[in-house]
Amino acid sequence: AGSPLVAETVARAGYEAAILDSQHGLWDMASLIAGIGAVHHAGSAPGVRVPLNDYATVSRALDCGAEAIIAPMINTAGDARAFAAAAKYPPLGERSWGPLRAMPLQGRTVSTDYLREANDGTLTLAMIETRTALGNVDAIAATPGIDALFIGPYDLSTALSGGTAQDIDASEVDEAIDRIGDAARKAGKIPGIYCRDAERALAMAKRGFRFLTVGSDLRLVRDGAAAQVKALKA
Ligand code: 3PY
Ligand code: MG
């Protein structure tokens, strides 16, 4: 929701990572900087979803201490290369030097220590959520510097239905989900998927997915508030 305090509170519940969404969510750069620090201090790994085609924010978020970057709508191997170039230092990419917040946040004082460990210590997740991306999924998965594929089931179901439905349980969406998971595993990359809640996340874990988002802060607040109101009126 764009609030560092809410992100910290959610992270303290015990999530291994908390993703700050600056594609659809309300995070701007100032709140991202505070939110990344708040999540880190809560003992969780801060991740950022960047806006569409915004590779400048990829390296900026890493410089601010993000440990994972989700890039939406990675449709081609070229998109994947541009993403990896912004996120990884040579030889994998061309990330520009300047982890001004990341180093102190992570307790580092020696530049070369950060440089040596940054490529392994920061996760790049390429979102597969269009028909074009599905066609190019093997090439995207094979791109050096891409660590994981992350499925956006809502965009994917919108795309596969030609914009007529948003049924994430439709059989064509289900088949695409398995196809993308297989492509990731074949390339030695982590298969991931957005899940609205724990029930769906557990089902996806059984299907071999290993990076799972579970819920969102607004959904948790809405459900919690609605449960209290319901109890009051019962
Ligand atoms: C999608 O389902 O399209 C998403 O981007 C989930 O965050
Ligand atoms: Mg999406």
Side-chain angles (χ1 to χ4, degrees), residues 100-190:
L100 289 203
R101 178 69 180 121
M103 280 186 58
L105 193 64
Q106 295 166 12
R108 297 211 175 275
T109 51
V110 182
S111 298
T112 44
D113 287 348
Y114 181 86
L115 179 62
R116 193 173 49 247
E117 287 166 24
N119 281 359
D120 284 344
T122 56
L123 198 69
T124 49
L125 299 110
M127 288 201 75
I128 306 296
E129 49 184 349
T130 65
R131 220 180 250 286
T132 313
L134 197 55
N136 292 324
V137 68
D138 291 310
I140 294 168
T143 303
I146 298 298
D147 300 315
L149 300 185
F150 184 60
I151 299 171
Y154 294 94
D155 275 316
L156 192 58
S157 59
T158 306
L160 294 180
S161 68
T164 60
Q166 208 175 53
D167 177 8
I168 61 171
D169 297 313
S171 63
E172 58 182 352
V173 178
D174 238 18
E175 282 161 26
I177 286 173
D178 284 333
R179 163 96 185 84
I180 297 162
D182 288 345
R185 279 183 291 274
K186 204 175 76 195
K189 308 296 174 72
I190 299 166

Side-chain angles (χ1 to χ4, degrees), residues 19-161:
I19 307 299
L20 314 182
D21 182 11
S22 60
Q23 184 195 16
H24 301 301
L26 306 181
W27 297 91
D28 59 13
M29 192 45 73
S31 57
L32 269 185
I33 292 168
I36 288 168
V39 168
H40 178 94
H41 289 306
S44 187
V48 171
R49 176 159 69 172
V50 298
L52 192 62
N53 294 330
D54 186 349
Y55 301 112
T57 299
V58 170
S59 67
R60 195 146 161 66
L62 291 171
D63 285 346
C64 294
E67 294 176 40
I69 302 287
I70 298 177
M73 301 256 169
I74 297 297
N75 290 335
T76 64
D79 290 347
R81 280 195 298 275
F83 175 28
K88 301 290 187 182
Y89 292 119
L92 280 178
E94 299 172 334
R95 177 178 167 193
S96 178
W97 178 256
L100 289 203
R101 178 69 180 121
M103 280 186 58
L105 193 64
Q106 295 166 12
R108 297 211 175 275
T109 51
V110 182
S111 298
T112 44
D113 287 348
Y114 181 86
L115 179 62
R116 193 173 49 247
E117 287 166 24
N119 281 359
D120 284 344
T122 56
L123 198 69
T124 49
L125 299 110
M127 288 201 75
I128 306 296
E129 49 184 349
T130 65
R131 220 180 250 286
T132 313
L134 197 55
N136 292 324
V137 68
D138 291 310
I140 294 168
T143 303
I146 298 298
D147 300 315
L149 300 185
F150 184 60
I151 299 171
Y154 294 94
D155 275 316
L156 192 58
S157 59
T158 306
L160 294 180
S161 68

